[in-house]
Amino acid sequence: MEEKTICAISTPLGNSAISIIRMSGKDSLKIAEKYFSSKSLNYKKIEERKMYLGAFKAEGISEKCLFVYFRAPYSYTGEDVVEFQIHGGEYLAKKILEILAKNCSLALPGEFTKRAFFNGKISLDEAEGVIDIINAETQAELSSAYNLSSGKFNREISAFQKSLTEVLAKIEVALDYPEHDEELITTKEAQKVLLEIGDKLEQIIENSSSGQKLKSGVNIAICGSPNVGKSSLLNALLGRERAIVSSVAGTTRDTISETIVHNGIKFNLTDTAGIRSEGDEIEKIGIERAKKEIENSDLTLFVVDLTREMTEEEKALLKELDKEKTIVVLNKKDLAAERKLSGYTCVSISAKREENISKLLNLIYEKTIANKIDLSKIVLTNMRHITILKEAKKLVDKTLQTLDSMSLDVVAFEIKRVWNELGKITGETETEEIIDEIFSKFCLGK
């Protein structure tokens, strides 16, 4: 790792109560001493992790601020780190950064966390958890990010690697001392370990198969015939008037998309044009878009008007939908008796009066998340991690299939391949290009 000292503003630019400016590197304290002074601070006897109230003075700046020092290796980056907490003026923060940058280098995006990784403070997957925490928009995203940043996933991967290492060590002994004739025993031990790891990998992959929904949200299409209350339902789910509601058929001619959060999960709602065989050219375009939304959705809310019988056209459309990915929403329960459709998940509501909307939301959650993702276990939302685990699982399965016909040295080679693949997650065996790409997604000052 380079020894140059770096600096950056670690808080968003703009007027605010506080701005934080951070330096990391061997010269951090020396640079700070040039500009910051306090009656209670003796740099030769400085106390680590203690806030000092003093003044930053240079080039017309005389800023009353707080200063704290973290001595290596007991800092975020593993290097000497200092931070200034100043008043949150944009010009002031830029000016102080400009002064510090005359003595050190401006940090690149994610460079502080990158140094933490290279200095062994965190693994690569934990670093990715940090960026996920910053970007989290819901409780589910945050929980998943905490699992990464806290090292929970890392400990699981490290346990796999430890088991593989122990088997490799036994294989090496068997190869070095063939007279003991322990090849069969060692092969059986390798088989046992690979089977256990394969099962656990499968569990994580399976539980994470819908993990992207925690990050991108669940896509839900609201569809049905004209005038059944689709736009009213969208407004009721949002808790505000977003779509135009009218008794005129074909009012919604294009898709309208909005996002809500329920039980910590994002639901991406799309109100679509009423599907019917009639309509002008513009309405037909809207209907085609509605059908595409249904195809691409994770769940469809098929809205039916309880005040009348379903038309043949509605029945035909409903038959085309996947029952497992459909909730039939029987609207206008305030005007008609409730009924159900056999074989379908149904819920009766009044979009106009916002009755049973919470019940519908809970049903959506159960249908898309509760029965598909176990949030108490590791749920991966990072496609890099999922891809690596799938590749590791392929290697495990391939090795198990041909294990009986392999010589012990080939078994060792295949086990090392699994170990190296898993090492891409922690960063032990990942390429420099991938590592650089990951940290380039971080914000400045982190």
Side-chain angles (χ1 to χ4, degrees):
M1 194 71 205
E2 293 182 40
E3 293 186 353
K4 67 178 182 178
T5 299
I6 55 173
C7 64
I9 299 170
S10 291
T11 46
L13 283 175
N15 294 331
S16 60
I18 296 172
S19 286
I20 297 175
I21 300 174
R22 172 188 286 174
M23 284 194 295
S24 179
K26 62 184 179 64
D27 294 327
S28 296
L29 196 59
K30 187 191 300 182
I31 296 169
E33 191 173 0
K34 292 174 65 176
Y35 304 110
F36 181 83
S37 61
S38 171
K39 292 180 180 179
S40 60
L41 172 58
N42 179 341
Y43 277 95
K44 292 181 180 180
K45 298 179 180 179
I46 190 169
E47 293 184 56
E48 303 161 33
R49 299 185 295 279
K50 176 181 177 179
M51 282 286 191
Y52 290 95
L53 177 63
F56 186 104
K57 295 182 179 181
E59 301 180 17
I61 298 291
S62 183
E63 168 67 0
K64 188 177 182 180
C65 62
L66 290 169
F67 164 83
V68 62
Y69 167 60
F70 303 91
R71 189 188 302 276
Y74 307 107
S75 69
Y76 180 72
T77 64
E79 304 171 331
D80 278 1
V81 171
V82 300
E83 290 183 358
F84 299 99
Q85 292 191 11
I86 65 173
H87 290 94
E90 184 172 342
Y91 173 78
L92 176 63
K94 286 182 176 179
K95 184 64 179 178
I96 291 179
L97 180 65
E98 180 185 308
I99 293 167
L100 293 174
K102 292 178 180 178
N103 304 268
C104 58
S105 301
L106 290 173
L108 298 172
E111 191 166 1
F112 290 93
T113 307
K114 189 175 183 179
R115 290 190 175 203
F117 166 66
F118 280 117
N119 289 325
K121 302 295 290 186
I122 55 176
S123 62
L124 188 58
D125 56 298
E126 288 171 336
E128 290 172 286
V130 172
I131 193 64
D132 284 350
I133 288 173
I134 294 170
N135 293 331
E137 295 180 351
T138 66
Q139 183 60 47
E141 286 181 86
L142 192 59
S143 297
S144 177
Y146 279 147
N147 280 339
L148 275 184
S149 65
S150 67
K152 183 177 181 180
F153 181 46
N154 178 271
R155 288 189 291 274
E156 190 82 9
I157 296 301
S158 296
F160 296 160
Q161 289 182 300
K162 182 181 178 182
S163 296
L164 293 171
T165 300
E166 289 173 353
V167 171
L168 281 171
K170 291 180 180 179
I171 290 175
E172 292 297 332
V173 170
L175 289 171
D176 290 341
Y177 301 98
E179 64 273 13
H180 290 292
D181 196 25
E182 292 187 353
E183 182 169 339
L184 182 60
I185 297 172
T186 308
T187 300
K188 286 185 177 180
E189 287 185 13
Q191 183 182 45
K192 180 183 177 183
V193 168
L194 288 170
L195 282 169
E196 289 176 355
I197 290 175
D199 287 343
K200 289 178 180 178
L201 287 174
E202 184 65 35
Q203 290 171 21
I204 297 173
I205 293 167
E206 181 64 30
N207 198 46
S208 302
S209 60
S210 301
Q212 278 293 307
K213 291 184 177 65
L214 301 186
K215 184 173 287 188
S216 59
V218 178
N219 296 322
I220 300 170
I222 303 173
C223 74
S225 297
N227 282 349
V228 293
K230 299 184 300 300
S231 296
S232 296
L233 174 58
L234 175 66
N235 292 339
L237 289 167
L238 294 174
R240 59 185 175 87
E241 291 194 11
R242 169 64 176 86
I244 298 173
V245 177
S246 168
S247 59
V248 178
T251 301
T252 301
R253 295 185 169 217
D254 201 354
T255 57
I256 300 173
S257 298
E258 289 287 343
T259 297
I260 60 172
V261 176
H262 180 70
N263 285 352
I265 304 294
K266 279 192 294 189
F267 293 121
N268 305 316
L269 306 168
T270 301
D271 180 22
T272 65
I275 298 175
R276 59 176 178 170
S277 55
E278 302 174 6
D280 58 29
E281 186 177 349
I282 295 176
E283 189 176 346
K284 286 179 179 178
I285 293 172
I287 291 170
E288 285 304 311
R289 290 185 179 180
K291 290 179 178 179
K292 286 182 181 178
E293 285 294 334
I294 293 169
E295 287 177 13
N296 297 327
S297 66
D298 299 306
L299 183 73
T300 300
L301 301 183
F302 186 78
V303 186
V304 175
D305 186 345
L306 273 173
T307 63
R308 62 170 176 77
E309 293 297 318
M310 288 178 64
T311 65
E312 292 303 316
E313 196 170 29
E314 286 176 309
K315 292 176 183 178
L317 176 59
L318 183 57
K319 284 182 180 179
E320 293 178 8
L321 301 178
D322 184 342
K323 288 184 179 181
E324 293 302 313
K325 294 171 57 179
T326 302
I327 296 176
V328 177
V329 181
L330 302 158
N331 190 29
K332 305 181 184 180
K333 70 184 287 290
D334 54 315
L335 301 176
E338 295 184 34
R339 65 175 187 269
K340 290 187 177 181
L341 295 180
S342 178
Y344 290 91
T345 302
C346 300
V347 60
S348 297
I349 69 156
S350 171
K352 184 178 180 179
R353 295 187 179 181
E354 298 187 4
E355 293 180 18
N356 276 1
I357 298 301
S358 294
K359 184 177 180 180
L360 173 58
L361 284 169
N362 290 334
L363 194 57
I364 291 170
Y365 178 82
E366 290 172 12
K367 195 89 168 171
T368 58
I369 298 295
N371 296 328
K372 296 181 181 294
I373 304 177
D374 187 348
L375 294 174
S376 66
K377 297 179 180 178
I378 293 173
V379 180
L380 302 178
T381 62
N382 187 310
M383 281 309 299
R384 188 183 80 87
H385 299 160
I386 294 171
T387 301
I388 291 170
L389 290 194
K390 286 182 177 179
E391 184 58 32
K393 180 65 166 60
K394 283 182 184 178
L395 292 173
V396 168
D397 291 344
K398 182 182 176 182
T399 303
L400 285 169
Q401 288 169 7
T402 55
L403 192 63
D404 292 338
S405 61
M406 287 181 184
S407 61
L408 210 51
D409 58 334
V410 176
V411 174
F413 175 77
E414 293 300 333
I415 288 176
K416 285 176 184 176
R417 289 182 67 194
V418 177
W419 194 99
N420 287 334
E421 191 65 30
L422 293 172
K424 292 180 181 179
I425 288 174
T426 61
E428 293 165 288
T429 57
E430 189 55 279
T431 64
E432 187 176 340
E433 290 79 6
I434 296 295
I435 291 170
D436 288 342
E437 182 183 343
I438 289 169
F439 286 105
S440 70
K441 297 175 183 177
F442 279 62
C443 53
L444 282 167
K446 189 58 182 173

